[in-house]
Amino acid sequence: MRDPERATDEREPSGSMRAVRGITGLPATIRGRIFVAFLGMSLLSGALGLYAVVAISHVGALVNRTYDESLMSINYARATAADFAKMRSAFARRTHARDAAAATKLDAEIAELSTTLSEDLTIAVERSQSDRSVRTAGAVQAAVATWEEMRRGLDPATARPERWDALDHQANVVDGQIDLLVNYTAGDGFTFRQAARMLVAREMQVNAIVAGLAVFACAMIAWLLNRRITGPLADASAAAERIASGRLDDRIPAGGRDELGSLLRSMAVMRDNIRAMMQREVSQRRVAEALVTDALQTSREGVIVVDAEGVIALANTQALHFFDGLEAAIAAGLSLSRPAPGSPNLDECFRALARDGEIRLADGRWLRVSRSATQQGGFVAVCSDISLLKEQEDRLTATNLRLDAALDNMSQGLCLYDAQHRLMVVNRRYSEIYGLPAGAIVPGMSAQDVLRVSLAAGNHPGSDLAALLRQEHEAHRGGTWHTQFQELANGRTVSIDRRETADGGFVATYEDVTERRRAEARIAFLAHHDTVTGLPNREALGQQIDLAVAQAGRDAGFAVFAIDLDDFRPVNETLGHGVGDELLAAVGARLTACVREVDCVARLGADEFIVVQRGVDRPEEAAILARRILEVLSAPYSLSNHEISVGLTIGITLAPGDGASCEKLLKNAEVALDRGKTEARGSFRFFEPEMDARLQARRMLERDLRDALAREAFEVYYQPIYSLATDRICGFEALLRWNHPSRGFVSPAEFIPIAEELGLIVPLGEWVLRRACEEAARWPDGLKVAVNVSAVQFTSASLVTAVREALRRTGLPGRRLELEITESVLVANPGATTAILHSLKALGVRVSMDDFGTGYSSLSYLRSFPFDKIKIDQSFVRDLCLKDGTDFIVRAVIGLGTSLGMTTTAEGVETEAQLAHLRAEGCDEVQGYLISRPVPVCQVGEVIQRWNGAARAIA
């Protein structure tokens, strides 16, 4: 008969399972189901990827069309405008050309620009996307042709003004047609971009929906696959675990007709076979004999009897206490040759019985096993508990190991000697310090033998054993050991300390203190020297000067040189502090080479050096050294990857005539240095008492300037700007004035540089800006006001905010405010300057380049920065009527401004001849004493009335 349980395990899948399989349509085998599932997901992924590739290709085509057609059409339309502007500029230069070769070159340039304009216009039409752009392009071509025809028929020498006006009108028509073309192409590009964006958005939505459906389909496939495979697999795993743990009566679930079902049925058969075999083995091993007496049972030693077959026949109570599970093993008749699986306690017992020796049990106890053979071929094992003995041995071993580890890992070498000065203990570090090979120093050697080994190793050149013993004797002074320092042949320094022990011996420790002593020496050096150059620092310099002052009464006097490098800051800012430090070290080396050994060279910080020259009787001796320093230090420096040249200025003070203290002499040298930097850089100056007076006066002026700013004790004067086109005043330039209570009017050239050095120029400039805007708001609407902005103020982050706030508070329109800047602003930081200029232009403010032609005068500035006006410096206007070429410079600047669409203003007009010359050259505006001097705000109305006739009353 079949077992009912096995019958249950092997029955066919239930009807519900068959129904699920029929619904899912999955194959009957696991491999088939996995294949179908992965095939389905692969097809879905492939379809989704193919759709994405098609969509991306479509989008790429749209992007290419956007660039190739719309953007290129816009760019070439704008290029057409640029070409025409260049044609007009070239024609303007052609009208002023007096040289036939230059005129021919300009005609060729105009012809080439005409060809380029036609080509750019053709490409713009080809890439355009609307008929209106094509029509507009044709209108542009026709207008340009008309302008070309009018230009060719125009003779600059004899042409009447009406012809010039007609040519300008036709140029404006061309500009209007080109602007219309640019607008049309830009509009077409925008329309096409909107259509492309809508198409891309639609593709993205469709792609997202398809991806979502694919993810949902993959999830359904994964769910069905999990339901058909993971569940039966978990049942098979649980059944295997139960069989392995010995639970042979648990039910094994039935499986399907696939591989997992076959596995479950095989496991049921295996379980039944294992259960039957175990029952047979247990029934055969139930015999035991009583071979041990009561004495064995009460013994403190564990006794185990093993027969000839290796079966444990008997064990006393102590043995059963040693080994858990031993009693069950005896009852089961287990053999040493066939241990029971899965029983770690019995494994431990069997290992102990396998041979004589010591074994440690799992609970930490130690047993010593002794085996004696029996006549029947077996043996008797006696097990003794030696745990206490082992614990004592381990404690002693651990102590020794810790001591050895401590000795071997000490940073110091150690030697322990007994009362007879015999070596007892030596660590590894001792041999390392003295460079001795392993085994050269061993216990039992005498202290003198140890010294002989160190001598033989060459550690003490020039010394013998007697010298070393004498050094040890000197270290033992007054019955106490003192620290002894040994200098070894390799340059290392060893510190030796000895302490006596209670048994009459001593312990010596050896420490390598080389780095510590070097560090101490380095710290002592840095306390009085500069870290970059190695020269004496301020403290050491003070000691040198104090010593020189003390000796000045007996010997000759001395000189103190204050030296400052003129071009050091740009080196640091452009090449980095590393190169700057290298340059400072090179300067210090050259300075040291220029002076004598009795002299002193020091560095106080940054790029300032001090030289103290001893034995100076006359100023000429100091001058000779100053010239030598200037010559040597001004020569180029060949640094790593750089060739650098710097200038220097020297201030000299003589002692004891100029002072009798370090502080006074250094101060006087600094005063002389400041005078030299102000008057003539690259030279030297001796201190004079008048310099100190001027320094005090400057400090008083600085104090008064701060006080005046706090009290707003300044005035704003206004100089009119005259328009030559309308013969009227078109605005005023705001000029700052300071009426000092005791000094009277102080020149701006005197206090403005001081305000910049003290950092007061920013609040002072903002005050002028607010006051000028406030007063200009009450003028007639057509008048503007120009305000100067210093380079320091222009780099301030608050400039744009200050201008915006001034316009908001006063209600002055931005178009009536002009800000005048110099070219030095552009050189400092072109990137930040461009951003600030564009921010100011966004407020409607006009920007003017002041003093054009006196600075760098780079034409790239006029092309890169959004200037509205160029101001010709008064130095050119002053010599305008002289035959020295100044009139050509003025004419060129005016022509340049006209070509770039910028207003030109001439400063410093003082004569009618200058005014007539500027009017003839086409200058737009003038200002100067011929029109009016700068006047306070109360007289602005009178000036307007005098030049503009009946004007509105100024509030």
Side-chain angles (χ1 to χ4, degrees):
M1 295 181 61
R2 297 179 61 187
D3 188 1
E5 183 174 331
R6 287 188 61 185
T8 303
D9 294 343
E10 297 175 356
R11 66 178 181 269
E12 291 292 324
S14 63
S16 61
M17 295 298 292
R18 289 194 300 271
V20 171
R21 185 176 60 195
I23 293 173
T24 59
L26 294 175
T29 63
I30 294 176
R31 288 177 295 177
R33 293 168 184 163
I34 294 175
F35 174 76
V36 171
F38 278 95
L39 179 62
M41 288 190 288
S42 298
L43 291 176
L44 288 174
S45 300
L48 181 61
L50 181 61
Y51 180 78
V53 168
V54 174
I56 291 172
S57 300
H58 194 190
V59 172
L62 290 176
V63 171
N64 290 334
R65 290 187 61 193
T66 301
Y67 175 77
D68 292 342
E69 297 180 6
S70 300
L71 295 183
M72 293 297 289
S73 178
I74 296 171
N75 289 339
Y76 276 98
R78 291 175 177 171
T80 302
D83 294 338
F84 185 68
K86 293 178 181 178
M87 290 175 63
R88 293 184 64 185
S89 177
F91 178 67
R93 296 197 303 273
R94 172 66 176 84
T95 59
H96 292 86
R98 299 292 183 266
D99 187 12
T104 303
K105 181 178 180 181
L106 289 172
D107 288 338
E109 181 180 350
I110 294 173
E112 182 180 354
L113 288 172
S114 177
T115 303
T116 304
L117 184 144
S118 178
E119 293 174 352
D120 291 342
L121 186 61
T122 302
I123 297 175
V125 172
E126 291 176 352
R127 301 298 176 90
S128 64
Q129 301 182 30
S130 66
D131 295 336
R132 61 180 184 177
S133 298
V134 176
R135 292 193 299 271
T136 307
V140 171
Q141 188 69 44
V144 171
T146 302
W147 184 84
E148 284 279 354
E149 183 178 355
M150 295 173 66
R151 178 187 62 80
R152 297 189 186 94
L154 184 64
D155 186 0
T158 61
R160 298 177 60 84
E162 294 80 2
R163 297 286 301 278
W164 288 102
D165 293 340
L167 182 64
D168 289 341
H169 176 72
Q170 183 61 29
N172 294 331
V173 171
V174 174
D175 289 337
Q177 292 296 332
I178 293 176
D179 290 341
L180 188 61
L181 176 61
V182 171
N183 293 334
Y184 282 167
T185 55
D188 295 340
F190 178 78
T191 303
F192 186 80
R193 186 189 69 174
Q194 290 298 108
R197 291 178 63 182
M198 291 176 61
L199 184 58
V200 170
R202 186 185 65 190
E203 291 292 341
M204 290 177 63
Q205 291 176 355
V206 173
N207 198 9
I209 293 173
V210 173
L213 293 176
V215 170
F216 176 75
C218 291
M220 288 298 298
I221 293 173
W223 178 78
L224 293 174
L225 190 64
N226 176 73
R227 183 174 179 181
R228 296 299 297 165
I229 296 177
T230 306
L233 186 60
D235 292 341
S237 177
E241 289 179 359
R242 290 196 295 272
I243 293 174
S245 62
R247 294 159 56 189
L248 303 177
D249 295 330
D250 290 351
R251 174 181 172 277
I252 297 178
R257 291 184 296 178
D258 54 12
E259 294 91 335
L260 288 175
S262 300
L263 177 62
L264 288 172
R265 289 189 291 273
S266 299
M267 291 176 65
V269 174
M270 180 179 64
R271 178 202 59 188
D272 295 339
N273 294 335
I274 292 174
R275 183 167 54 192
M277 181 181 64
M278 290 183 63
Q279 289 175 353
R280 288 194 300 269
E281 290 180 356
V282 170
S283 63
Q284 293 173 1
R285 302 299 299 262
R286 297 293 184 181
V287 180
E289 298 179 356
L291 303 176
V292 182
T293 62
D294 293 339
L296 291 176
Q297 294 296 335
T298 58
S299 174
R300 297 181 60 181
E301 309 294 334
V303 179
I304 302 174
V305 179
V306 181
D307 61 16
E309 285 78 19
V311 177
I312 301 175
L314 182 65
N316 67 347
T317 303
Q318 188 63 33
L320 297 178
H321 176 70
F322 287 155
F323 304 107
D324 294 335
L326 181 58
E327 186 175 3
I330 296 174
L334 297 181
S335 172
L336 297 181
S337 59
R338 293 185 291 108
S343 180
N345 293 330
L346 289 180
D347 290 342
E348 189 177 65
C349 176
F350 291 170
R351 284 189 293 105
L353 299 177
R355 58 181 176 81
D356 291 346
E358 297 174 354
I359 185 172
R360 188 174 186 178
L361 303 182
D363 57 5
R365 292 178 298 172
W366 281 91
L367 297 181
R368 178 178 289 126
V369 180
S370 299
R371 301 199 317 175
S372 301
T374 62
Q375 295 180 354
Q376 291 79 14
F379 64 89
V380 177
V382 179
C383 303
S384 303
D385 189 347
I386 58 171
S387 300
L388 182 59
L389 179 61
K390 275 292 186 181
E391 183 178 352
Q392 294 174 349
E393 291 179 355
D394 291 344
R395 190 179 300 114
L396 180 59
T397 302
T399 301
N400 292 333
L401 289 175
R402 285 194 295 270
L403 179 59
D404 292 342
L407 291 175
D408 287 339
N409 290 280
M410 286 177 60
S411 60
Q412 300 172 326
L414 182 141
C415 291
L416 177 62
Y417 294 90
D418 60 12
Q420 289 74 37
H421 291 187
R422 291 287 177 181
L423 184 64
M424 299 173 60
V425 176
V426 61
N427 67 350
R428 174 175 50 86
R429 180 58 179 160
Y430 177 84
S431 299
E432 292 177 352
I433 291 176
Y434 285 93
L436 303 177
I441 304 297
V442 295
M445 297 175 64
S446 66
Q448 294 187 11
D449 292 338
V450 174
L451 291 178
R452 290 189 182 94
V453 173
S454 182
L455 282 169
N459 289 318
H460 313 281
S463 299
D464 54 10
L465 181 60
L468 295 181
L469 292 175
R470 186 168 54 253
Q471 293 174 8
E472 288 187 358
H473 180 72
E474 293 174 354
H476 189 262
R477 300 188 303 272
T480 303
W481 287 102
H482 298 272
T483 301
Q484 175 188 355
F485 293 96
Q486 281 186 350
E487 300 292 338
L488 303 185
N490 57 6
R492 312 298 291 180
T493 302
V494 179
S495 170
I496 305 175
D497 287 306
R498 296 177 179 84
R499 294 292 182 271
E500 294 183 355
T501 60
D503 60 356
F506 69 91
V507 59
T509 57
Y510 305 82
E511 182 180 4
D512 186 346
V513 295
T514 307
E515 298 301 329
R516 186 174 68 192
R517 300 194 74 177
R518 289 177 181 173
E520 292 172 352
R522 178 64 176 169
I523 292 173
F525 177 82
L526 293 180
H528 296 84
H529 292 78
D530 175 51
T531 58
V532 176
T533 62
L535 298 175
N537 58 11
R538 184 180 294 273
E539 182 177 353
L541 175 66
Q543 297 174 359
Q544 291 285 339
I545 294 179
D546 291 340
L547 179 61
V549 169
Q551 296 175 350
R554 300 188 302 271
D555 303 327
F558 63 94
V560 178
F561 295 67
I563 304 172
D564 185 79
L565 303 182
D566 295 335
D567 304 315
F568 178 71
R569 179 176 295 179
V571 174
N572 255 354
E573 293 176 351
T574 57
L575 302 180
H577 290 280
V579 177
D581 290 347
E582 188 179 357
L583 175 60
L584 291 174
V587 170
R590 291 190 183 183
L591 270 177
T592 305
C594 289
V595 301
R596 303 164 299 176
E597 292 184 359
V598 296
D599 300 331
C600 174
V601 178
R603 176 176 178 244
L604 299 189
D607 55 347
E608 184 177 359
F609 294 84
I610 299 294
V611 173
V612 178
Q613 183 186 16
R614 295 289 193 93
V616 176
D617 293 326
R618 296 177 295 110
E620 290 77 6
E621 298 175 1
I624 293 174
L625 177 59
R627 294 188 186 96
R628 182 164 64 248
I629 292 175
L630 287 172
E631 179 182 359
V632 172
L633 267 64
S634 298
Y637 294 82
S638 296
L639 307 180
S640 56
N641 303 324
H642 296 285
E643 184 81 14
I644 298 175
S645 296
V646 293
L648 66 151
T649 306
I650 305 176
I652 308 174
T653 183
L654 302 176
D658 292 339
S661 67
C662 174
E663 181 179 358
K664 180 66 174 177
L665 291 172
L666 289 177
K667 175 188 173 184
N668 292 344
E670 291 286 348
V671 171
L673 174 63
D674 292 340
R675 181 67 178 271
K677 291 168 65 175
T678 302
E679 294 181 349
R681 289 178 178 265
S683 62
F684 63 90
R685 288 288 184 272
F686 283 94
F687 171 77
E688 301 171 359
E690 295 79 5
M691 294 181 181
D692 190 50
R694 284 193 293 268
L695 179 62
Q696 297 299 327
R698 174 186 169 90
R699 290 178 177 173
M700 292 180 60
L701 183 61
E702 292 177 357
R703 183 195 61 192
D704 294 343
L705 183 60
R706 293 181 186 273
D707 181 66
L709 179 60
R711 296 184 295 104
E712 296 185 356
F714 296 96
E715 296 182 71
V716 179
Y717 276 47
Y718 298 92
Q719 185 173 29
I721 303 173
Y722 192 80
S723 173
L724 296 179
T726 61
D727 285 326
R728 295 170 62 88
I729 289 178
C730 60
F732 290 85
E733 180 180 0
L735 302 173
L736 183 62
R737 294 292 183 265
W738 181 20
N739 189 2
H740 193 276
S742 59
R743 300 178 56 179
F745 279 98
V746 182
S747 171
E750 182 178 356
F751 70 83
I752 289 297
I754 298 177
E756 292 180 342
E757 293 178 10
L758 298 178
L760 303 178
I761 192 63
V762 173
L764 184 59
E766 292 179 355
W767 179 85
V768 174
L769 177 65
R770 291 194 300 270
R771 179 62 60 87
C773 291
E774 179 182 349
E775 294 174 348
R778 297 193 290 268
W779 299 345
D781 185 61
L783 297 181
K784 58 190 176 184
V785 62
V787 180
N788 290 279
V789 180
S790 73
V792 177
Q793 184 182 2
F794 198 87
T795 58
S796 172
S798 61
L799 176 61
V800 178
T801 303
V803 173
R804 184 186 297 108
E805 185 65 16
L807 295 176
R808 185 190 65 81
R809 291 181 57 185
T810 61
L812 183 72
R815 57 182 171 80
R816 294 181 57 193
L817 175 63
E818 284 186 2
L819 297 181
E820 298 184 0
I821 65 173
T822 59
E823 293 166 295
S824 60
V825 175
L826 308 177
V827 178
N829 193 347
T833 301
T834 302
I836 294 176
L837 286 175
H838 283 288
S839 299
L840 294 174
K841 295 284 286 185
L843 298 175
V845 176
R846 295 168 57 85
V847 181
S848 172
M849 179 184 285
D850 196 9
D851 300 336
F852 182 77
T854 61
Y856 296 92
S857 302
S858 174
L859 298 182
S860 63
Y861 297 150
L862 302 180
R863 180 174 56 87
S864 305
F865 297 94
F867 289 107
D868 300 290
K869 178 190 290 187
I870 303 174
K871 298 193 71 174
I872 305 173
D873 188 68
Q874 60 182 350
S875 61
F876 296 108
V877 177
R878 185 185 305 113
D879 301 331
L880 184 61
C881 298
L882 301 178
K883 300 301 182 180
D884 60 352
T886 303
D887 55 339
F888 293 106
I889 297 176
V890 173
R891 181 183 301 125
V893 174
I894 295 174
L896 180 63
T898 303
S899 301
L900 297 177
M902 299 180 184
T903 303
T904 53
T905 302
E907 297 178 313
V909 178
E910 298 181 356
T911 64
E912 293 288 349
Q914 294 171 348
L915 178 63
H917 198 115
L918 291 169
R919 187 189 296 273
E921 294 294 345
C923 185
D924 299 307
E925 299 172 353
V926 297
Q927 64 180 109
Y929 286 178
L930 180 63
I931 308 300
S932 172
R933 291 177 176 270
V935 298
V937 66
C938 61
Q939 300 179 18
V940 169
E942 299 177 5
V943 175
I944 297 175
Q945 179 67 29
R946 182 169 67 250
W947 289 99
N948 292 3
R952 290 181 298 173
I954 300 176

